[in-house]
Amino acid sequence: MKGIQINKPVKEVVLVVALGFFWGLPALGANFYCDPVHGSPQGDGTAERPWRTVEEVIAARKIETRDADGKPVNPGAPIKAGDTLWLRSGWHGVIRIAGGHNAEYITIAAERGQKPQVGWVEIGGGSRWRIKGLTVSPSLAPAPLTKLPRNLVQLGEHGDERCHELVVEDCFIYSVLDASQWTARDWVIKPQSGIWLGRQGKGHVARNNYVLNTRFGINLCAPEVRCEGNVVANFSADGIRVTRDGQVVRGNVVKNNFVGDREGDDNHDDGIQAFLFNVGRGTLRGVRIEGNIIVARERDDLPFPNPLQGIGFFDGPLVQFVVERNVILINHYHGITLGDAQQSFVRSNVVFSRWTAEKPRPWIMLGQKQKSARGNTVHDNWAHSFSFKDDPEVKEERNQMVTESLFRSKMEALLKEIELEFGALHPVASRPRLEMPWLNNAGAAEK
């Protein structure tokens, strides 16, 4: 831990221990504050004399960091590695940071009980930056923004291989809050995408964010990134995209997919999709997809229904993948499909369709395009059907036909597990992770 700086009030440094423990932040460094209503650019960043907005703080170069070679950037600036910039309620502009490497995290976070708003977030590169607890949407701007981003939160797109540990957590991220008046075409052209992690560096994290009304939900574009505890709600392309080695996707809820071929959208939508970034097909290794919930539609009255593929990993080879304990409710054949998988495990997943009056009914499948599927283990899964014939070396056992009662019990158990770890209500969106009234009504599945 670095020593206390003489230009930082001692009481603020002492308070960080208690605040850090209570609000889930590390007990490091000093605290600074921004208040769009009562703050001033001439303030000193203390709780009593806060600066105004985070956009002004960044523009005024009040954050000291280092370049990739260790040379100080903005030397002598008050905010340093290990410090936290607390944001109070109101409009803060946009967060745009070119980069910077920090020995300890610099955190930009909502002060407890406050609801700060920003239009979008971009941290081009660097290491150990954390964005926490913000509401992110260009629709909140007092006046139309001169630039609209493609991705509402974009981390690590312009750095290099030394970029690492860029984190976004507990944020509420959306194109617009209410998309009920959007047409089918609007769902294709109007929404931004949610979170983009990569392409540079490794070890970035998207944790416990609520991503609403977007084109793509979360794109994972760097090795060894983690995507955990997020909700991707209301999307018109793919929920989560897995594209590099060593990625972990766990404890997420992906729900409510809109528009497809009938509305002129040629993207074949997946709850979670995998492919090699910038190539489309090629070897991916060491990916874990664990304990996620995928739901095509929470309610039957949602507009523009579209067949949603569950876990659609069609373009390998996929080496040493683990796909386990996911619960999937969809209206497409591809419940879980791994293409050209090798030495991979598919275990304890549940795939179900409540829309059983007509096909399709989802399966679990090992497929191939390059005739390289081999040596996989598939056991203790439940689905409407199974197909492993493309793997001559497959080890499969105890895979069973799914029933509605089995699906219900597994869904309820997994949802409780996710809620226990990440909360029943999202801390900023104040929305439940899943809303399916019929789940608690035995026999409510459609026949």
Side-chain angles (χ1 to χ4, degrees):
M1 181 182 297
K2 68 184 182 67
I4 298 173
Q5 304 298 309
I6 60 173
N7 61 337
K8 301 177 183 180
V10 172
K11 65 180 180 179
E12 302 300 337
V13 178
V14 173
L15 281 173
V16 77
V17 176
L19 287 170
F21 177 80
F22 191 81
W23 196 228
L25 298 176
L28 297 169
N31 292 300
F32 296 90
Y33 297 84
C34 286
D35 188 329
V37 178
H38 302 292
S40 168
Q42 286 72 50
D44 60 10
T46 61
E48 297 79 11
R49 299 184 64 238
W51 296 308
R52 189 161 55 189
T53 69
V54 65
E55 183 174 21
E56 291 176 343
V57 166
I58 295 167
R61 301 185 177 183
K62 294 183 182 297
I63 302 176
E64 179 182 292
T65 183
R66 295 182 179 274
D67 67 17
D69 299 318
K71 182 180 177 180
V73 178
N74 304 329
I79 303 171
K80 303 182 188 299
D83 294 347
T84 299
L85 180 60
W86 297 101
L87 307 186
R88 293 174 178 166
S89 297
W91 173 255
H92 284 264
V94 302
I95 296 175
R96 192 174 188 183
I97 299 171
H101 293 265
N102 307 306
E104 302 291 346
Y105 279 100
I106 291 178
T107 299
I108 300 173
E111 186 179 3
R112 182 168 178 79
Q114 301 292 307
K115 297 182 178 181
Q117 303 170 345
V118 299
W120 45 278
V121 176
E122 180 182 354
I123 300 178
S127 58
R128 293 183 178 148
W129 296 89
R130 180 192 285 112
I131 306 297
K132 182 178 176 69
L134 311 185
T135 299
V136 181
S137 177
S139 70
L140 296 168
L145 298 176
T146 57
K147 176 184 178 182
L148 289 178
R150 186 173 183 178
N151 302 290
L152 297 173
V153 175
Q154 182 169 285
L155 308 179
E157 176 65 4
H158 302 296
D160 58 25
E161 68 277 1
R162 292 169 288 187
C163 177
H164 61 94
E165 295 174 81
L166 303 177
V167 178
V168 55
E169 60 183 344
D170 296 343
C171 289
F172 186 20
I173 300 164
Y174 56 86
S175 295
V176 297
L177 193 60
D178 182 4
S180 61
Q181 301 304 309
W182 278 0
T183 66
R185 183 61 179 163
D186 288 339
W187 270 106
V188 177
I189 65 175
K190 284 189 174 182
Q192 287 83 27
S193 292
I195 299 172
W196 179 284
L197 297 185
R199 292 172 285 186
Q200 307 300 325
K202 63 181 180 180
H204 311 313
V205 179
R207 179 184 297 115
N208 198 23
N209 302 286
Y210 199 108
V211 179
L212 176 69
N213 294 337
T214 57
R215 178 67 171 154
F216 293 91
I218 302 176
N219 283 284
L220 310 178
C221 307
E224 300 174 24
V225 305
R226 297 185 68 86
C227 174
E228 56 187 15
N230 303 284
V231 177
V232 176
N234 304 358
F235 60 101
S236 62
D238 299 323
I240 298 173
R241 282 182 156 187
V242 173
T243 69
R244 299 292 293 276
D245 294 351
Q247 295 181 346
V248 176
V249 179
R250 57 173 290 271
N252 303 282
V253 175
V254 178
K255 62 182 188 177
N256 302 339
N257 174 247
F258 300 144
V259 307
D261 289 340
R262 291 177 300 180
E263 293 84 15
D265 182 6
D266 60 1
N267 188 81
H268 293 165
D269 300 348
D270 298 272
I272 305 176
Q273 185 184 31
F275 61 93
L276 183 61
F277 193 89
N278 275 354
V279 178
R281 183 180 300 174
T283 301
L284 286 172
R285 300 178 182 274
V287 169
R288 295 189 65 92
I289 311 295
E290 179 181 359
N292 303 282
I293 293 173
I294 299 173
V295 175
R297 290 185 291 156
E298 287 177 298
R299 308 189 319 271
D300 290 333
D301 62 349
L302 292 174
F304 314 119
N306 179 51
L308 178 68
Q309 298 171 157
I311 295 177
F313 295 176
F314 304 108
D315 297 298
L318 311 174
V319 180
Q320 296 177 343
F321 272 48
V322 176
V323 179
E324 65 179 356
R325 300 180 56 247
N326 302 284
V327 178
I328 299 171
L329 174 67
I330 58 167
N331 49 359
H332 195 284
Y333 289 114
H334 291 291
I336 298 175
T337 297
L338 272 63
D340 294 292
Q342 302 170 12
Q343 294 85 51
S344 295
F345 290 86
V346 181
R347 57 198 179 204
S348 302
N349 300 283
V350 180
V351 176
F352 181 69
S353 175
R354 64 181 289 256
W355 303 278
T356 55
E358 59 185 49
K359 295 181 179 181
R361 297 180 183 178
W363 56 47
I364 296 177
M365 172 185 286
L366 297 177
Q368 60 181 357
K369 295 181 179 179
Q370 303 179 45
K371 297 183 179 180
S372 62
R374 63 179 183 274
N376 301 290
T377 301
V378 187
H379 65 82
D380 295 299
N381 300 283
W382 293 266
H384 291 279
S385 63
F386 301 88
S387 177
F388 310 134
K389 64 181 183 300
D390 285 337
D391 181 358
E393 303 172 5
V394 65
K395 299 176 182 177
E396 58 105 355
E397 57 183 356
R398 298 187 303 277
N399 297 297
Q400 304 174 53
M401 292 293 293
V402 68
T403 64
E404 180 185 337
S405 61
L406 185 282
F407 163 77
R408 286 174 177 275
S409 65
K410 294 293 185 179
M411 172 71 87
E412 290 169 355
L414 180 55
L415 181 59
K416 287 179 181 178
E417 181 181 319
I418 293 172
E419 290 176 341
L420 182 63
E421 181 172 0
F422 298 104
L425 292 178
H426 186 267
V428 178
S430 298
R431 296 178 177 224
R433 297 180 185 273
L434 199 61
E435 297 177 271
M436 294 197 304
W438 64 268
L439 186 63
N440 298 318
N441 299 325
E446 296 179 0
K447 305 300 180 185

